[in-house]
């Protein structure tokens, strides 16, 4: 449980920290594509474990992270190929990730407990090795975002202005996509492959309901994410629930309460 909280703290920070830039640029679905691609990487790691003894100690999450990073670079490349239809890169990568993952899962005797844990999240059994990996990735993500905050803000707010102002747009976009892939890889243990994009976008959606600026939205989304992760972990522990589903349901409830509260306040003011 201590490891779960320590991992949850990190993921609760980095997921909305990166997710707000994706929401601004209307690329929130890219998290789904990369998370499904990481499924094929994890399935590859499990397949390698079943075939060769010297891979028994290999954590499949590392292979999933590698696939996610490669997929992020591939998405960026596809978006340049389909300049008029850049969003088509997302379903292409998602389709490949799902198809290859299913094939590899079938090659490792079908679905098992390991695959289920990665699909739906199982933060309560996170290992010390995964804890260290999560904190290292979290430090890299936070350092990158705050080091290039102004440049990332400019690129995601107005891409044409960023190009005219001489910012290294291509390099920053590629680096940012790699950062997104890292966040997805470390968030898989918390909410699972199927729900990882929710942890990156729902806190942002909640924060945007009351935020008056981008900075407020960023800070608010991190606070919302932290609260949802902590509450979700408590519910998962005491009621023996899937941690990923519990966290996302808490976020959904918070969003509904926020929307309802805003409408009620507006009705009282006009009434």
């Amino acid at each position: 449980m201590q490891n779960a909280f320590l991992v949850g703290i990190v993921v609760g920070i980095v997921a909305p920290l990166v997710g707000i830039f994706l929401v601004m640029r209307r690329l929130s679905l890219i998290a789904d594509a990369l998370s499904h691609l990481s499924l094929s990487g994890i399935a590859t790691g499990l397949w390698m474990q079943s075939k060769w003894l010297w891979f028994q100690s290999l954590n499949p999450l590392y292979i999933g992270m590698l696939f996610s990073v490669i997929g992020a670079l591939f998405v960026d490349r596809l978006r340049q190929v389909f300049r008029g239809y850049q969003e088509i890169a997302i379903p292409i990568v998602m389709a490949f990730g799902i198809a290859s993952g299913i094939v590899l899962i079938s090659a490792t005797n079908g679905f098992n407990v390991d695959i289920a844990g990665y699909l739906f999240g199982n933060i309560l059994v996170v290992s010390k090795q995964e804890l260290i990996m999560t904190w290292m990735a979290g430090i890299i993500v936070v350092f990158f975002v705050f080091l290039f905050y102004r440049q990332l803000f400019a690129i995601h707010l107005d891409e044409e202005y960023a190009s005219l102002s001489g910012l290294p747009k291509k390099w920053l976009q590629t680096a940012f996509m790699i950062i997104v892939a890292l966040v997805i890889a470390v968030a898989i243990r918390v909410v699972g492959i199927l729900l990882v994009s929710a942890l990156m976008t729902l806190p942002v959606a909640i924060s945007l309901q009351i935020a008056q600026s981008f900075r407020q939205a960023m800070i608010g989304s991190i606070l919302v994410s932290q609260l949802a992760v902590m509450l979700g972990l408590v519910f998962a522990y005491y009621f023996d629930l899937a941690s990923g589903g519990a966290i996302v349901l808490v976020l959904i409830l918070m969003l509904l309460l926020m929307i309802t509260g805003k409408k009620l306040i507006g009705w009282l003011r006009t009434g």
Side-chain angles (χ1 to χ4, degrees), residues 40-118:
S40 62
I42 291 170
T44 299
L46 293 173
W47 178 79
M48 292 166 66
Q49 287 181 342
S50 67
K51 295 296 182 182
W52 296 290
L53 291 176
W54 52 85
F55 285 114
Q56 290 293 320
S57 60
L58 176 68
N59 192 329
L61 198 59
Y62 293 145
I63 307 297
M65 182 180 294
L66 177 62
F67 272 54
S68 187
V69 171
I70 295 173
L73 298 174
F74 187 60
V75 167
D76 191 56
R77 180 60 181 171
L78 278 178
R79 293 180 72 243
Q80 296 177 23
V81 173
F82 298 99
R83 290 188 179 274
Y85 308 93
Q86 292 187 355
E87 68 280 358
I88 201 173
I90 296 176
I92 290 174
V93 172
M94 184 183 295
F96 173 76
I98 295 174
S100 58
I102 291 173
V103 169
L104 288 166
I105 288 170
S106 65
T108 55
N109 300 321
F111 286 89
N112 53 40
V113 176
D114 291 326
I115 288 292
Y118 290 112

Side-chain angles (χ1 to χ4, degrees), residues 5 226-236 246-247 250 254:
F5 273 106
Q226 289 290 327
L227 178 60
V229 169
M230 295 302 109
L231 288 176
L233 285 179
V234 170
F235 291 145
I247 292 169
V250 170
M254 292 172 69

